[in-house]
Amino acid sequence: MTKTIELSGVQQRFHARGAAGGYLTAVEDASFTLSPEPPQVVSLVGQSGSGKSTIARNVLGLQKPTSGTVKYGGKDIFKLNRDEYDDYRRNVQPVFQDPYAIFNPFYRVDRVLWKAVKKFGLATSRAEGLALIERSLDAVKLDPDRVLGRYPHQLSGGQRQRVMLARIHMLRPAFVIADEPVSMLDAQVRRLFLDILLDFQREYGMTTLFITHDLSTVYYLGGSVMVINRGRIVERGPVDVVMHEPSHPYTRLLLDSIPQPDPDQRWTGRIEVDELSGTAEAGTPKATAPETPII
Amino acid sequence: MRLLTATGHTIRHSPRLATGLALLALMILLAVLSPVLVDAIGNGKDPLELATYERWLVPSSDHLLGTDQFGRDVLAMVISATSVSLQIGAIAGVISTVVGVIVAFVAGYKGGWVDNVLSTFTGILLVIPTFPLLIALSAYAKNVSLFQVGVMISIFSWPFAAKTIRSQVLSLRSRPYVDLARVSKARDLEIIVTELLPNLLPFIGVGFASSALGAIFGLVGLEVIGLGPGGVIDLGQIIFNAINTGALTLGAWPMFVVPIVLLTVLFAALNMINIGLEEVYNPRLRGVAGE
């Protein structure tokens, strides 16, 4: 049961008109291993366009990398046989960023949960399935009566995102790939969401790859962190170490970018985002090129 | 069932949809009952047979719309012509919608070289001037049946549907809910049918309506220049006769006016249904919040 997700040398290019060479490199030489023993939270931090979501899509098998491999249990996820594929799907599940787009507007929200029940054979009868769904909705602090039978547009963003968590609760995957799950939630719901995620880690042993641009949520979740800049993982380590002794200039910049909730501490220095990305392009030596994966 | 109640609900709340459906239902009823009605008008005789009555009778209580140059009853002709026009619309509409939808989904969802090949093919068909080719085809194939004409028209009308639907598929296939379906082990066909198709119903509806109307008017166009299928009278043929014999100068205005009015009504009805149905397709407008 202790299968790992292993990325080695993943590179992802996209065709892009106007870019040098006619393509854009979203991810370059990404290598890391996610292990479910012990269950942990691994955060992947970077700014918009740094390739975080592309890595999530690679891990979820939604996007085949241009080169490099994504392995689950030691086998390339694009070459799994039927049983292995079922196992992989069951154990690697996402929470996506946009709670508005994740539901097909044509159907009621129940469908997402019923689909999980049916596709993964979680229940043998309708009553059993319903009980399971209600239990999972309870686990994410949602009232089944107020959610079931509703259309997506009738729920708030926080409710919708928690329905996705209920889905995770039903499936109990070993790995949760959470791609900016809280970026569109307000502060209070965000906290609730993160707490539920931590509960899942503790109670069901789920390992979470938490993708975000927000270092304060990383700090809250703890565990370890990888910093990605322009498609490259530039720094990695335990959250405490990286947050207090950042070794890469980009990490320092990210840390400086956290607004302090204190009016007296407002923006002591300006952040030059453009300057940094400009020098990175010119080919500054990679301060901490990813050594052996710590995680 | 839920969809049915929703549809009923929408019809009651959308005068446009109700009007469109009523008009279309009326025309279909007319078409279905056309043999009976024609019999009733003939009153023992066949009103569509040549020289059944006097030629060029003006509208009267015996012949509500008068008779034509061969002594046929114009009302009977119009009724059976409506049936023919609706048939051609249905045949061509169904064929071109089905072909268009399949091509669009395969191209849009699969992408890559499949999309390139299909899109190029669709594009080629789109730029072929349809009408001259239809004229050539009809002139070449003597005595074509109604169904054959329908197929001929569909060959050139499906690319329009395919083009619009493909672009929608392209935008929908990258939606997160498609990704979610994929990680829930849904197969491609399942995703197309259950995730994408319902959201594209308005576009498919529009595609069907425009193909059907295109076919009806295409046939009218062929008939007006005298190249329609043999053995049937459609609305276009009546117009053709009216133009050809100078019916307007002979006081037989119904031969000209009535088919045109019927075509206009059909056009309006299909469009009203289409716009009205938007409310059924879009669950936000179904008004279920209070239920």
Side-chain angles (χ1 to χ4, degrees):
Chain A
M1 238 337 262
T2 53
K3 291 185 173 169
T4 58
I5 294 177
E6 197 184 334
L7 274 74
S8 48
V10 168
Q11 184 204 46
Q12 182 73 58
R13 287 171 167 186
F14 294 106
H15 289 288
R17 223 162 279 178
Y23 58 81
L24 184 140
T25 307
V27 178
E28 185 70 60
D29 194 26
S31 305
F32 61 86
T33 304
L34 287 178
S35 163
E37 292 293 336
Q40 55 186 319
V41 175
V42 179
S43 299
L44 182 62
V45 200
Q47 68 187 34
S48 307
S50 58
K52 319 183 288 286
S53 293
T54 306
I55 289 185
R57 293 180 61 81
N58 287 144
V59 173
L60 287 165
L62 294 171
Q63 177 89 49
K64 199 174 189 320
T66 316
S67 65
T69 52
V70 181
K71 286 178 179 164
Y72 174 71
K75 284 189 82 171
D76 191 328
I77 57 165
F78 293 97
K79 292 174 186 149
L80 299 175
N81 67 30
R82 215 191 147 81
D83 287 346
E84 289 163 342
Y85 181 78
D86 285 352
D87 180 42
Y88 160 70
R89 276 286 172 244
R90 178 69 202 262
N91 279 306
V92 184
Q93 282 290 327
V95 178
F96 289 114
Q97 175 177 17
D98 187 349
Y100 297 87
I102 197 65
F103 291 96
N104 193 333
F106 195 79
Y107 300 104
R108 288 159 202 262
V109 290
D110 323 18
R111 180 169 173 271
V112 160
L113 301 173
W114 277 111
K115 204 148 190 182
V117 171
K118 283 179 190 144
K119 287 282 177 186
F120 294 95
L122 301 180
T124 47
S125 70
R126 204 178 156 76
E128 200 184 322
L130 191 63
L132 197 65
I133 287 173
E134 286 180 346
R135 206 159 48 237
S136 291
L137 287 173
D138 276 340
V140 295
K141 324 273 190 292
L142 280 175
D143 179 0
D145 292 339
R146 301 189 59 179
V147 173
L148 297 178
R150 295 298 184 102
Y151 281 100
H153 65 270
Q154 296 170 319
L155 300 182
S156 71
Q159 285 174 318
R160 277 183 259 192
Q161 203 63 314
R162 275 183 286 154
V163 171
M164 295 318 293
L165 270 187
R167 181 176 172 278
I168 295 291
H169 182 265
M170 286 166 63
L171 290 169
R172 312 263 163 91
F175 298 97
V176 179
I177 311 299
D179 184 6
E180 303 229 29
V182 294
S183 68
M184 294 174 96
L185 305 181
D186 62 54
Q188 187 190 347
V189 180
R190 175 175 307 186
R191 173 80 188 273
L192 174 63
F193 188 98
L194 296 178
D195 286 342
I196 293 172
L197 214 55
L198 288 173
D199 284 349
F200 283 4
Q201 178 202 337
R202 248 192 322 274
E203 283 172 40
Y204 310 113
M206 295 181 197
T207 289
T208 304
L209 177 64
F210 190 85
I211 295 171
T212 183
H213 58 258
D214 178 10
L215 279 173
S216 53
T217 48
V218 173
Y219 204 73
Y220 187 75
L221 284 170
S224 51
V225 61
M226 295 183 284
V227 180
I228 184 170
N229 181 30
R230 309 198 132 238
R232 284 182 182 277
I233 296 173
V234 293
E235 179 157 5
R236 57 182 92 202
V239 167
D240 291 339
V241 178
V242 173
M243 297 291 249
H244 294 120
E245 300 152 27
S247 56
H248 192 270
Y250 179 70
T251 316
R252 242 170 275 141
L253 176 88
L254 273 183
L255 284 167
D256 289 344
S257 313
I258 304 176
Q260 302 292 324
D262 176 1
D264 296 332
Q265 290 245 321
R266 187 174 291 160
W267 308 116
T268 43
R270 287 224 172 251
I271 292 163
E272 303 285 339
V273 175
D274 282 333
E275 188 190 83
L276 189 106
S277 45
T279 50
E281 198 157 42
T284 33
K286 292 148 226 138
T288 42
E291 331 94 51
T292 43
I294 313 165
I295 298 143
Chain B
M1 189 58 217
R2 214 175 254 152
L3 203 66
L4 272 184
T5 17
T7 313
H9 182 89
T10 318
I11 291 171
R12 261 178 281 123
H13 287 82
S14 165
R16 195 185 275 134
L17 180 59
T19 318
L21 281 174
L23 285 175
L24 186 66
L26 205 68
M27 295 194 84
I28 291 174
L29 196 70
L30 202 67
V32 171
L33 294 179
S34 64
V36 184
L37 289 173
V38 168
D39 268 358
I41 292 166
N43 210 356
K45 292 187 263 185
D46 182 358
L48 298 177
E49 195 54 50
L50 301 182
T52 308
Y53 309 104
E54 294 261 335
R55 294 164 52 195
W56 297 123
L57 288 176
V58 288
S60 66
S61 54
D62 279 344
H63 303 285
L64 285 176
L65 300 179
T67 58
D68 74 345
Q69 80 273 29
F70 299 124
R72 294 176 290 192
D73 186 277
V74 174
L75 180 62
M77 281 169 73
V78 165
I79 291 175
S80 64
T82 305
S83 157
V84 171
S85 285
L86 285 178
Q87 279 175 44
I88 193 84
I91 294 170
V94 168
I95 294 178
S96 50
T97 309
V98 168
V99 174
V101 165
I102 291 174
V103 170
F105 274 99
V106 173
Y109 189 75
K110 277 286 162 197
W113 67 269
V114 181
D115 186 24
N116 283 339
V117 170
L118 287 175
S119 293
T120 310
F121 185 59
T122 315
I124 290 172
L125 278 182
L126 267 179
V127 294
I128 292 176
T130 315
F131 201 65
L133 207 71
L134 270 181
I135 292 173
L137 273 174
S138 323
Y140 175 73
K142 277 289 165 204
N143 282 326
V144 284
S145 71
L146 190 63
F147 182 75
Q148 285 167 326
V149 173
V151 172
M152 262 157 48
I153 294 175
S154 324
I155 292 174
F156 299 104
S157 65
W158 69 260
F160 290 94
K163 209 79 181 168
T164 40
I165 296 170
R166 173 184 162 271
S167 62
Q168 289 301 316
V169 174
L170 280 183
S171 105
L172 285 184
R173 71 159 182 188
S174 56
R175 297 284 162 96
Y177 58 74
V178 173
D179 285 341
L180 186 69
R182 284 171 71 190
V183 298
S184 302
K185 295 203 290 188
R187 276 182 259 283
D188 284 355
L189 190 64
E190 189 181 345
I191 290 175
I192 287 176
V193 174
T194 64
E195 305 284 343
L196 301 182
L197 200 61
N199 287 299
L200 286 173
L201 282 176
F203 294 91
I204 294 169
V206 171
F208 177 79
S210 57
S211 311
L213 285 171
I216 292 168
F217 283 96
L219 187 61
V220 167
L222 284 179
E223 291 280 13
V224 163
I225 53 172
L227 284 171
V232 287
I233 305 169
D234 84 316
L235 290 171
Q237 201 178 352
I238 301 176
I239 299 173
F240 169 66
N241 286 339
I243 295 171
N244 238 19
T245 56
L248 276 176
T249 58
L250 295 167
W253 57 267
M255 264 180 85
F256 195 67
V257 175
V258 176
I260 290 176
V261 169
L262 278 176
L263 285 172
T264 314
V265 169
L266 182 61
F267 183 81
L270 280 178
N271 271 321
M272 280 194 278
I273 292 171
N274 232 328
I275 299 166
L277 274 184
E278 171 71 23
E279 292 169 33
V280 183
Y281 300 139
N282 190 341
R284 274 171 200 259
L285 303 175
R286 265 181 224 161
V288 284
E291 281 173 18

